[in-house]
Amino acid sequence: MVTDFSRPRKNVLSFYGQSGIGKSALSRHLDDLVRSGDTTEPTSPITYRHDFAKSGDRDFETLLIAIRARLADKRVPAPAFDLAFSLYWSMAHPGEALREYLQGSGAGGAASGAADLGSVMTDALSDLADAVLGASSFGVVGGATRLTTHAVRAIARSASQKKLLRDCPYLDAAMDEDDLVELLAFLPHFLAWDLSQQQSRQPDEGGRRRPLEYIIFFDTWEDVQAHSGHEGSLEDFLCRLMYLMPNCLFVVTGRERLRWADPHSAGQFLRNGPDNWPGLVSATEEPRQHMLGRLTDDDSRRLLHTAWPGKPPSGRRPHDDRGQGQWIPGIPQLRSGSV
């Protein structure tokens, strides 16, 4: 499923509702439930939680680093992603060492393993470079390896990487990609592929070990939606990330429901419509969207405008001035089918 881009995705669980109803508390509680399981199990679920209200890290690159870093913290290898990301990094941040970047900023602070991620990636690539290119292909300042685009591409084409390029679809083509935005947007696919290699390994003889699970919590999603509405927005990139990582479960909490499956979402999200996201329009199949409490103001307005195209009848307000739910006179007509 990771390599099939025509199949629908059913890996997003959404809870939405008005401010103060307890969405963040629910998100934290669900995270605690997952992590309170059998921690001695080698394949116990891995979780990562990102609250957009509390974190200043709202760019896609930073989030991707943190998601990868959480796997690094659990010693989960990701050779395809690391190679593709190294190419991206060498083009987007020429001369800047990833290890120094992670240690000197809050970019990877959301994941406890972020400080080690630079070492995990650069050490592995350094070993390859010594064997393939020689140390002269790297600039070493203070022990921090700075990869060049030429060096990364040369490593990718080396004999030691042929199996990886052959087994991982699209990795070979990605190593020739010059469009930074397209490369960045597609990087989650390689992380999903790496994760799938761990998930597909045979369990032990007794079959007692669970497949590796990765559950990612995104809280205060309304902060992402506030700057959405066009392809290339952070929400569009995160929507692509969830589509490209169907072997991970994403739990999203926010004030408004996710609109990727709506008919009018074309032009706002690259991966849009109910064919891509059937769970976002389903009323029964899990994972799906769950409304907590009453309709939000935005959903109420959409309901009324759908019932009365153009402009809702005067005097019919979805909420009073205090934001509390109010009886809508048009509801009986909706129920009777006369509207």
Side-chain angles (χ1 to χ4, degrees), residues 77-150:
F81 175 84
D82 290 353
L83 192 59
F85 184 83
S86 295
L87 176 66
Y88 165 80
W89 187 266
S90 69
M91 294 191 293
H93 303 271
E96 185 174 5
L98 176 61
R99 190 184 306 177
E100 289 183 347
Y101 173 80
L102 291 173
Q103 292 174 342
S105 72
S112 59
D116 296 329
L117 179 58
S119 299
V120 169
M121 293 175 67
T122 56
D123 287 352
L125 289 168
S126 294
D127 292 341
L128 286 170
D130 289 338
V132 177
L133 303 169
S136 60
S137 298
F138 288 80
V140 181
V141 180
T145 306
R146 290 168 169 78
L147 288 172
T148 66
T149 301
H150 169 73

Side-chain angles (χ1 to χ4, degrees), residues 12-329:
V12 177
L13 176 63
S14 166
F15 298 95
Y16 68 98
Q18 292 180 333
S19 176
I21 205 167
K23 300 180 297 294
S24 294
L26 174 61
S27 177
R28 289 191 295 269
H29 178 63
L30 293 175
D31 189 6
D32 289 340
L33 283 178
V34 175
R35 291 188 289 107
S36 63
D38 185 3
T39 56
T40 63
E41 170 60 54
T43 55
S44 58
I46 299 172
T47 69
Y48 167 67
R49 188 172 185 276
H50 192 96
D51 188 340
F52 290 97
K54 295 182 178 179
S55 173
D57 301 331
R58 295 181 186 174
D59 66 278
F60 186 70
E61 177 188 279
T62 295
L63 280 168
L64 199 55
I65 290 173
I67 290 171
R68 166 64 181 101
R70 187 71 179 114
L71 293 178
D73 184 40
K74 295 296 183 179
R75 299 297 184 263
V76 177
F81 175 84
D82 290 353
L83 192 59
F85 184 83
S86 295
L87 176 66
Y88 165 80
W89 187 266
S90 69
M91 294 191 293
H93 303 271
E96 185 174 5
L98 176 61
R99 190 184 306 177
E100 289 183 347
Y101 173 80
L102 291 173
Q103 292 174 342
S105 72
S112 59
D116 296 329
L117 179 58
S119 299
V120 169
M121 293 175 67
T122 56
D123 287 352
L125 289 168
S126 294
D127 292 341
L128 286 170
D130 289 338
V132 177
L133 303 169
S136 60
S137 298
F138 288 80
V140 181
V141 180
T145 306
R146 290 168 169 78
L147 288 172
T148 66
T149 301
H150 169 73
V152 177
R153 284 178 168 151
I155 291 171
R157 305 298 186 215
S158 67
S160 62
Q161 300 299 294
K162 282 185 177 180
K163 185 178 187 303
L164 180 62
L165 292 179
R166 182 180 65 250
D167 293 346
C168 180
Y170 313 111
L171 181 58
D172 195 3
M175 299 314 296
D176 292 324
E177 180 62 66
D178 292 319
D179 189 319
L180 273 176
V181 175
E182 288 301 315
L183 180 58
L184 176 63
F186 197 65
L187 285 175
H189 164 72
F190 301 116
L191 193 57
W193 186 86
D194 285 321
L195 190 60
S196 73
Q197 303 310 295
Q198 302 298 313
Q199 293 170 328
S200 63
R201 288 184 174 180
Q202 294 295 322
D204 57 6
E205 292 182 2
R208 294 183 299 273
R209 296 181 61 178
R210 300 172 51 173
L212 182 63
E213 297 171 320
Y214 194 6
I215 304 174
I216 298 173
F217 295 86
F218 287 138
D219 193 19
T220 322
W221 190 260
E222 63 269 18
D223 283 18
V224 176
Q225 290 174 318
H227 305 285
S228 187
H230 60 90
E231 287 191 17
S233 67
L234 176 58
E235 185 173 18
D236 178 39
F237 269 74
L238 290 174
C239 174
R240 297 189 211 185
L241 177 143
M242 297 183 211
Y243 186 89
L244 291 171
M245 300 185 71
N247 51 347
C248 297
L249 175 66
F250 294 87
V251 182
V252 182
T253 44
R255 293 182 187 177
E256 308 290 344
R257 65 186 181 88
L258 302 178
R259 310 194 191 283
W260 314 333
D262 292 3
H264 67 271
S265 62
Q268 300 181 34
F269 307 104
L270 183 66
R271 292 290 180 178
N272 64 82
D275 290 342
N276 283 320
W277 303 104
L280 298 188
V281 294
S282 172
T284 57
E285 292 188 33
E286 297 288 354
R288 60 184 177 91
Q289 302 209 69
H290 296 264
M291 183 180 69
L292 304 179
R294 305 170 188 225
L295 288 176
T296 64
D297 290 343
D298 189 53
D299 276 335
S300 297
R301 283 190 293 270
R302 288 174 182 270
L303 171 64
L304 294 179
H305 279 286
T306 300
W308 293 280
K311 183 179 181 181
S314 60
R316 290 177 170 85
R317 297 182 301 165
H319 299 280
D320 64 18
D321 293 336
R322 297 186 304 278
Q324 300 298 319
Q326 188 180 34
W327 175 254
I328 303 177

